[in-house]
C-alpha cells in the first residue's frame, strides 16, 4: 500500500501548476483588465446568403466565410499512417507552397523523414529553376517548439540555413506568458498558459485539417481525425493566409537559432499586451474579412454569368472556424454554442474529445438541449498523459473525476436516456480525436461535422489558438465516409455507467479531487 500523502508531498506534487494558476489569474487581471474588448465577431453584409445550403445551417454563412466545394473533393482519412503518408506524398509533389501549422515538430525518425521530404522538394525546386517557386512556411508554438536541447527548432535549422530565401519558421508566443509568470513557470509547464494549437497541413491547393501534431505517435498509434480537401484552392488560400497572418505576429526563427519580430509588429511578451492583441487581432481579422468579400464576389460572379457548378457538385460547404480568445477572436465558440443550442429534439450529436473537460457554457447547452448526445472520451489507459512522470501522471485521474462529475449531473437531471458517455479503448494506443457529427431527425448519416484542433474545453476556448472547419454536405458518399469514421471510433468504446466508476482503477484520491478545480483549466 502506498504511503499516505503528506502535506509536503501534496504541495510538491501540485506546486508548479498551482503556482501557474495563481500567477496566471494575477496576469489575467493585470493585462486583460486593460483589454476589455468584446470578442471579434465576423459580420458579413445582410445580402450574404449561401445558395443551396440547408436552412438548418444557413445562419453559419452570416458569421464566418463560406466556401462551396464539390463533396467529391473531400476525403476522410482514418489512420495515423494514412495521415503521415498523405503528407509525405503531397510534399514530394508540391510545386508552389507547403504550409504547416502545428503545436510542435517531434525529433524522432519519422519526423526526420518528413523534414527530409521537405528538403528534397526544396532542392528539386532549386534544380529546376533559377528562381525557385516552392516556398515552405512552418508555424509552431514557441514554448513547445523550444523545449529541451533537441527540439523543433533544431530539427528545422538546417533547412533554414540551406534554403533561407524559401523557408519561413514562425514561433507563436502567447501574450499571457510574460513578466514574472514567464520567469517563474518551468519549461514543462509554461505551455499550460496558452499555445499555438492550430493543425493545418497544406500542399499547393490541397489541405489536411486535423487535430494531430507532427510527432511520431501521431503517425503510428495515436488516434486522431483528419480530413483531406483535394484541389480546393479557395479553402487552401484561406488557410495559407491565416497561417501567414499568425506567423506575422509570431517570433521569426533565424538561421543562427535566434528569434526576432517582423518590423512594425509588437513583441508578444516584451511589448504592451493590449497593443499586441490589437495588432494581432487586426491582422487575423483582415484574413477573415478578405475571405468573406472574395467569396461573395465569386458567388455573385457565378450567378451573373450562369456559370455555377452543376447541381450535383454544389453539394458541400466548408466554414472555417477560428478561436483566439487571447486576441479577442471567438468565432468557433459562438458557432459551436449555437450548434449545441439549436440541436433539435430527435436529432443526434456524436461529440468526441481526447480530453473531456467541457466548459460550463458547453455543458449547460448539452444538458439543456433536446437532441440526443453520444459523447466519446479517452479511457484512462489511452489518455495521452497515462504513465507520465510527476504531476502529469495524475492528469488521467483528474479526467476520471471530471467525467464522474459530468455523469452525476446527467443522472441528477434525469438525462440518462438522452446523454450517453462512452470511453475509447485500444491496446497500446492513445486517443486524441475531437469534433462532432450532426444527424438531423430521421437521417441515418451525418450532414455536418466539426473537425480540427479544439477540444471543447476551457483551454481551447480561452487560452490557445485554435482552428477547425464545419463541413455541411448533402453528398451521399461524403456522408457515408463521415458515418464510417464515426462508427470506427465508437466501435472501440464502451458505455459509461455507475459501475464504471466503481472499478478499482477508477479510484480518485482526495488530493486529486481537491486540486482538480484549480488546475482543470490548464490541461
Amino acid at each position: 500500500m502506498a504511503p499516505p500523502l503528506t502535506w509536503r508531498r501534496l504541495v510538491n506534487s501540485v506546486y508548479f501548476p498551482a503556482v501557474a494558476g495563481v500567477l496566471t489569474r494575477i496576469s489575467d487581471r493585470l493585462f486583460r483588465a486593460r483589454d476589455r474588448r468584446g470578442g471579434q465577431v465576423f459580420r458579413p453584409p445582410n445580402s450574404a446568403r449561401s445558395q443551396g445550403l440547408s436552412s438548418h445551417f444557413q445562419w453559419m454563412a452570416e458569421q464566418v466565410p463560406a466556401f462551396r466545394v464539390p463533396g467529391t473533393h473531400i476525403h476522410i482519412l482514418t489512420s495515423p499512417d494514412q495521415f503521415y503518408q498523405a503528407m509525405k506524398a503531397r510534399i514530394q509533389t508540391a510545386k508552389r507552397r507547403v504550409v504547416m501549422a502545428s503545436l510542435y515538430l517531434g525529433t524522432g525518425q519519422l519526423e526526420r523523414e518528413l523534414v527530409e521530404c521537405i528538403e528534397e522538394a526544396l532542392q528539386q525546386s532549386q534544380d529546376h529553376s533559377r528562381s525557385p517557386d516552392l516556398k515552405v512556411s512552418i508555424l509552431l508554438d514557441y514554448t513547445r517548439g523550444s523545449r529541451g536541447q533537441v527540439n523543433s527548432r533544431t530539427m528545422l535549422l538546417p533547412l533554414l540555413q540551406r534554403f533561407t530565401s524559401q523557408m519561413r519558421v514562425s514561433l507563436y508566443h502567447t501574450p499571457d506568458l510574460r513578466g514574472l509568470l514567464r520567469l517563474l513557470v518551468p519549461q514543462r509547464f509554461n505551455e499550460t498558459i496558452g499555445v499555438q494549437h492550430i493543425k493545418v497541413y497544406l500542399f499547393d491547393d490541397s489541405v489536411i485539417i486535423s487535430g494531430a501534431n507532427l510527432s511520431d505517435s501521431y503517425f503510428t498509434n495515436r488516434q486522431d481525425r483528419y480530413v483531406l480537401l483535394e484541389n480546393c484552392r479557395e479553402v487552401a488560400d484561406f488557410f495559407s493566409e491565416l497561417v501567414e497572418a499568425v506567423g506575422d505576429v509570431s517570433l521569426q526563427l533565424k538561421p543562427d537559432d535566434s528569434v526576432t519580430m517582423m518590423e512594425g509588429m509588437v513583441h508578444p511578451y516584451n511589448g504592451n499586451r493590449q497593443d499586441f492583441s490589437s495588432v494581432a487581432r487586426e491582422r487575423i481579422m483582415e484574413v477573415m474579412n478578405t475571405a468573406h468579400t472574395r467569396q461573395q464576389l465569386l458567388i455573385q460572379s457565378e450567378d451573373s454569368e450562369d456559370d455555377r457548378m452543376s447541381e450535383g457538385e454544389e453539394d458541400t460547404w466548408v466554414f472555417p472556424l477560428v478561436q483566439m480568445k487571447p486576441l479577442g477572436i471567438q468565432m468557433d465558440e459562438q458557432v459551436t454554442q449555437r450548434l449545441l443550442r439549436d440541436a433539435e429534439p430527435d436529432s443526434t450529436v456524436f461529440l468526441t474529445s481526447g480530453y473531456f473537460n467541457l466548459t460550463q457554457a458547453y455543458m449547460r447547452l448539452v444538458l439543456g438541449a433536446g437532441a440526443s448526445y453520444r459523447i466519446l472520451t479517452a479511457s484512462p489507459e489511452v489518455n495521452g498523459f497515462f504513465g507520465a512522470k510527476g504531476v502529469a501522471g495524475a492528469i488521467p485521474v483528474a479526467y476520471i473525476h471530471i467525467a464522474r462529475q459530468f455523469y452525476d449531473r446527467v443522472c441528477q437531471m434525469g438525462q440518462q436516456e438522452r446523454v450517453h458517455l462512452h470511453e475509447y479503448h485500444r491496446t497500446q494506443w492513445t486517443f486524441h480525436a475531437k469534433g462532432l457529427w450532426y444527424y438531423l431527425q430521421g437521417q441515418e448519416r451525418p450532414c455536418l461535422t466539426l473537425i480540427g484542433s479544439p477540444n471543447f474545453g476551457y483551454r481551447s476556448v480561452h487560452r490557445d489558438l485554435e482552428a477547425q472547419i464545419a463541413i455541411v454536405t448533402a453528398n451521399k458518399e461524403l456522408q457515408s465516409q463521415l458515418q464510417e469514421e464515426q462508427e470506427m471510433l465508437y466501435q472501440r468504446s464502451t458505455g459509461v455507467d455507475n459501475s464504471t466508476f466503481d472499478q478499482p482503477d477508477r479510484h480518485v484520491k482526495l488530493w486529486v479531487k481537491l486540486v482538480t478545480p484549480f488546475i482543470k483549466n490548464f490541461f
Side-chain angles (χ1 to χ4, degrees):
M1 181 178 296
L5 189 71
T6 65
W7 281 109
R8 182 180 298 276
R9 288 178 60 212
L10 173 59
V11 170
N12 288 337
S13 65
V14 301
Y15 174 74
F16 288 127
V19 168
V22 172
L23 292 176
T24 301
R25 293 183 187 209
I26 294 173
S27 175
D28 287 347
R29 290 182 180 274
L30 287 175
F31 299 114
R32 291 185 181 175
R34 296 184 300 174
D35 193 19
R36 297 290 189 185
R37 294 181 176 86
Q40 188 71 44
V41 183
F42 181 84
R43 296 296 186 196
N46 291 332
S47 60
R49 291 294 182 266
S50 303
Q51 301 185 24
L53 181 61
S54 167
S55 60
H56 288 89
F57 308 110
Q58 193 162 10
W59 58 268
M60 211 177 294
E62 300 174 1
Q63 293 188 240
V64 297
F67 298 91
R68 184 169 53 188
V69 302
T72 53
H73 288 200
I74 300 179
H75 311 284
I76 304 300
L77 310 181
T78 58
S79 72
D81 181 66
Q82 197 176 9
F83 165 59
Y84 180 63
Q85 298 301 334
M87 283 196 297
K88 288 180 64 177
R90 281 156 183 79
I91 289 171
Q92 292 168 349
T93 58
K95 302 300 181 185
R96 294 182 293 109
R97 60 186 175 187
V98 171
V99 180
M100 309 183 86
S102 183
L103 175 62
Y104 69 105
L105 170 68
T107 59
Q109 181 58 36
L110 294 178
E111 296 93 313
R112 293 184 186 280
E113 291 178 13
L114 198 66
V115 173
E116 289 172 1
C117 278
I118 297 174
E119 182 180 19
E120 291 172 5
L122 287 167
Q123 184 60 57
Q124 288 179 7
S125 177
Q126 285 193 349
D127 292 344
H128 291 87
S129 174
R130 293 183 179 179
S131 179
D133 294 327
L134 181 63
K135 305 294 182 184
V136 176
S137 178
I138 298 178
L139 170 66
L140 305 172
D141 182 70
Y142 177 90
T143 55
R144 186 62 180 270
S146 303
R147 184 201 290 179
Q149 292 187 340
V150 180
N151 52 42
S152 304
R153 292 164 63 165
T154 60
M155 289 285 289
L156 295 169
L157 278 175
L159 289 184
L160 199 58
Q161 293 163 352
R162 183 178 174 188
F163 304 98
T164 306
S165 64
Q166 294 173 261
M167 276 286 296
R168 181 189 191 190
V169 179
S170 305
L171 302 168
Y172 176 82
H173 192 294
T174 177
D176 291 329
L177 183 63
R178 54 174 51 236
L180 188 63
L181 190 68
R182 191 172 190 273
L183 291 174
L184 294 182
V185 180
Q187 194 174 72
R188 269 195 81 191
F189 296 97
N190 56 11
E191 65 193 69
T192 62
I193 308 304
V195 294
Q196 191 304 112
H197 201 243
I198 297 169
K199 321 294 173 62
V200 170
Y201 308 108
L202 191 152
F203 319 94
D204 288 342
D205 294 333
S206 298
V207 57
I208 296 174
I209 306 294
S210 180
N213 290 303
L214 295 173
S215 182
D216 55 0
S217 63
Y218 292 91
F219 305 151
T220 53
N221 63 345
R222 189 160 173 78
Q223 182 65 58
D224 215 300
R225 297 183 67 209
Y226 337 82
V227 59
L228 168 64
L229 294 91
E230 196 89 71
N231 296 320
C232 296
R233 180 158 191 167
E234 290 81 10
V235 179
D237 286 346
F238 169 83
F239 278 104
S240 177
E241 291 163 12
L242 177 66
V243 173
E244 180 182 5
V246 177
D248 286 348
V249 301
S250 301
L251 293 157
Q252 306 300 303
L253 184 64
K254 298 301 180 182
D256 62 357
D257 199 25
S258 64
V259 292
T260 180
M261 291 299 293
M262 289 179 58
E263 185 176 353
M265 294 298 173
V266 181
H267 199 281
Y269 60 86
N270 288 332
N272 179 274
R273 190 201 184 284
Q274 182 175 343
D275 290 344
F276 174 83
S277 295
S278 178
V279 169
R281 177 170 54 247
E282 182 179 356
R283 178 70 184 88
I284 292 160
M285 286 308 300
E286 178 187 357
V287 174
M288 304 299 294
N289 292 325
T290 300
H292 169 257
T293 301
R294 187 166 55 212
Q295 286 308 108
Q296 290 305 307
L297 290 174
L298 180 62
I299 292 173
Q300 292 170 12
S301 173
E302 290 173 346
D303 291 346
S304 63
E305 297 176 7
D306 196 26
D307 188 30
R308 296 164 55 193
M309 286 183 281
S310 67
E311 183 177 351
E313 288 183 312
E314 61 173 50
D315 54 13
T316 302
W317 290 84
V318 175
F319 302 91
L321 309 177
V322 176
Q323 182 73 10
M324 303 177 178
K325 199 73 164 278
L327 310 181
I329 300 172
Q330 54 195 86
M331 298 175 202
D332 179 68
E333 176 187 7
Q334 292 159 347
V335 169
T336 301
Q337 284 189 1
R338 182 159 178 182
L339 276 174
L340 298 178
R341 183 173 62 246
D342 292 357
E344 300 173 346
D346 298 321
S347 62
T348 302
V349 176
F350 286 79
L351 184 151
T352 180
S353 174
Y355 304 116
F356 180 66
N357 185 14
L358 293 180
T359 65
Q360 288 298 316
Y362 289 164
M363 191 180 302
R364 283 195 300 268
L365 292 170
V366 169
L367 294 177
S372 295
Y373 279 85
R374 303 292 185 270
I375 299 173
L376 177 62
T377 186
S379 60
E381 67 272 11
V382 300
N383 186 290
F385 292 98
F386 185 76
K389 297 179 180 179
V391 177
I395 290 179
V397 184
Y399 279 115
I400 294 174
H401 183 52
I402 293 169
R404 178 60 187 261
Q405 289 179 316
F406 176 79
Y407 180 77
D408 287 346
R409 286 192 63 180
V410 170
C411 294
Q412 289 166 6
M413 298 179 67
Q415 300 289 321
Q416 303 95 308
E417 297 302 315
R418 189 181 62 82
V419 181
H420 298 263
L421 195 59
H422 302 257
E423 287 187 343
Y424 185 89
H425 303 270
R426 194 170 185 179
T427 304
Q428 296 185 340
W429 279 60
T430 55
F431 183 71
H432 198 248
K434 71 263 317 216
L436 65 76
W437 301 258
Y438 189 105
Y439 294 71
L440 289 172
Q441 178 182 1
Q443 292 190 354
E444 297 182 352
R445 292 172 292 201
C447 60
L448 177 147
T449 192
L450 296 184
I451 182 169
S453 65
N455 273 296
F456 305 104
Y458 186 92
R459 283 200 59 171
S460 291
V461 172
H462 294 279
R463 297 192 179 281
D464 298 341
L465 303 193
E466 306 278 10
Q468 64 178 336
I469 56 175
I471 301 175
V472 178
T473 184
N475 183 281
K476 299 303 183 185
E477 174 57 31
L478 179 54
Q479 288 182 349
S480 294
Q481 288 187 59
L482 291 170
Q483 170 71 7
E484 291 169 5
E485 179 196 33
Q486 176 263 304
E487 290 179 345
M488 177 198 73
L489 294 174
Y490 280 74
Q491 280 174 356
R492 295 185 178 273
S493 74
T494 57
V496 171
D497 56 26
N498 276 314
S499 64
T500 303
F501 300 104
D502 293 334
Q503 298 173 21
D505 62 345
R506 303 308 171 93
H507 175 69
V508 180
K509 295 180 179 180
L510 178 60
W511 74 268
V512 176
K513 295 180 181 179
L514 294 174
V515 169
T516 297
F518 297 99
I519 65 172
K520 65 183 293 186
N521 296 337
F522 295 90
F523 56 79

